[in-house]
Amino acid sequence: PPIKGEIRFENVSFSYEEGKPVLKDVSFTIKPGETIALVGETGAGKTTIISLLARFYDPQMGRILIDGHDIRNVTLKSLRKQMGIMLQDTFIFSGTVADNIRYAKPDATMDEVIKAAKTVNAHEFIMKMENGYDTEVNERGSRLSIGQRQLIAFARALLADPKILILDEATSAVDTQTEVLIQEAIEKLTKDRTSIIIAHRLSTIRNADRIFVIHNGQIVEEGNHQQLLEKRGFYYNLYTS
Ligand code: DGT
Ligand code: MG
């Protein structure tokens, strides 16, 4: 059955190694369709939160629910089908650009592939490549810039049309023009789906419905950009220092 995309962490604690807690009693609820930005210093636990949601690991304590169902009672296959996960190192494999976009939906038609690419601003640069969508790229995506690889990953995610979108935003700098394309694409991608973005760019953070500030394995502040600045706490220090 189709899911609504509510995400709930209930008293989640997790450690990779015994005696070294990484997440400590984390609880939150994300409403269907909401966009959440996770921010916090390096090692705070941001990637760990999304790793638990995708069940790369299970928490030692607490539970994680999607639409009220404990994700441990869902098969991994159906869980991952509901989620579009984009990690920092965008995954490109050898094949054509179209194959790369079609990855999560192998039976997609060319029209669907193009439509997805257009929506996330990838169409234009693809059409400039010598064979357009049939251009071969290699595993390392070495013929593509980092920004272009990201746009391809966005097209892939959009085509898969997951209810839940997880994005570990790349830190690598891209040129100003690509930056604008990426920002627009993120806004379209997050529309009408529950999204969790480990956000590095201020524009992404400002556009989020809510921001969770992670510090030392806990959510220490929560609110939108303006509310958090007014607190003059962790968030304020992250963005004004
Ligand atoms: P980032 O990506 O540098 O901004 O940092 P976060 O916030 O994504 O941090 P995260 O969740 O990767 O790491 C939290 C803590 O857990 C940190 O002390 C490193 C540790 N850690 C992360 N991944 C692993 C792992 O696979 N094994 C072990 N033993 N520790 C890990
Ligand atoms: Mg991380």
Side-chain angles (χ1 to χ4, degrees), residues 16-17 22 40-49 57 88 168 198 200 214:
Y16 293 98
E17 295 167 51
V22 168
E41 60 211 21
T42 180
K46 304 178 296 293
T47 300
T48 304
I49 289 177
Y57 305 95
Q88 277 190 330
D168 201 342
I198 297 176
H200 300 290
I214 317 296

Side-chain angles (χ1 to χ4, degrees), residues 129-149:
M129 298 177 82
E130 74 274 18
N131 291 315
Y133 286 85
D134 295 324
T135 307
E136 296 279 338
V137 288
N138 66 20
E139 269 148 49
R140 301 176 58 208
S142 54
R143 307 192 40 197
L144 302 162
S145 74
I146 287 172
Q148 289 171 339
R149 273 179 258 173

Side-chain angles (χ1 to χ4, degrees), residues 18-201:
E18 229 181 282
K20 287 188 190 164
V22 168
L23 294 183
K24 303 165 193 165
D25 199 23
V26 171
S27 298
F28 59 81
T29 302
I30 304 176
K31 291 184 285 249
E34 224 184 345
T35 297
I36 299 295
L38 301 182
V39 304
E41 60 211 21
T42 180
K46 304 178 296 293
T47 300
T48 304
I49 289 177
I50 61 169
S51 301
L52 296 183
L53 182 60
R55 288 203 68 204
F56 297 140
Y57 305 95
D58 283 325
Q60 284 91 4
M61 302 231 286
R63 25 176 228 163
I64 300 169
L65 310 158
I66 293 180
D67 291 353
H69 302 291
D70 192 323
I71 60 172
R72 278 172 298 198
N73 299 331
V74 179
T75 63
L76 273 184
K77 197 176 162 206
S78 71
L79 180 77
R80 302 245 169 91
K81 212 175 159 178
Q82 314 279 19
M83 284 180 196
I85 306 173
M86 288 174 277
L87 299 177
Q88 277 190 330
D89 275 318
T90 295
F91 172 63
I92 297 285
F93 59 88
S94 46
T96 67
V97 170
D99 292 337
N100 269 279
I101 295 174
R102 227 187 254 124
Y103 174 75
K105 195 184 175 195
D107 59 346
T109 65
M110 213 42 224
D111 280 350
E112 291 178 289
V113 169
I114 293 171
K115 188 169 172 242
K118 279 186 174 164
T119 307
V120 299
N121 292 330
H123 180 71
E124 206 175 320
F125 89 77
I126 293 170
M127 289 310 285
K128 281 190 194 142
M129 298 177 82
E130 74 274 18
N131 291 315
Y133 286 85
D134 295 324
T135 307
E136 296 279 338
V137 288
N138 66 20
E139 269 148 49
R140 301 176 58 208
S142 54
R143 307 192 40 197
L144 302 162
S145 74
I146 287 172
Q148 289 171 339
R149 273 179 258 173
Q150 260 184 69
L151 294 178
I152 286 181
F154 289 171
R156 181 190 291 155
L158 190 73
L159 190 61
D161 195 22
K163 252 328 199 195
I164 294 171
L165 188 88
I166 297 169
L167 169 59
D168 201 342
E169 202 169 57
T171 41
S172 357
V174 295
D175 60 88
T176 321
Q177 231 179 331
T178 311
E179 173 76 23
V180 172
L181 297 181
I182 288 175
Q183 184 51 36
E184 279 180 11
I186 289 177
E187 280 170 44
K188 288 180 185 164
L189 267 174
T190 56
K191 195 171 178 301
D192 297 328
R193 59 188 104 234
T194 312
S195 307
I196 301 183
I197 307 179
I198 297 176
H200 300 290
R201 294 168 324 121

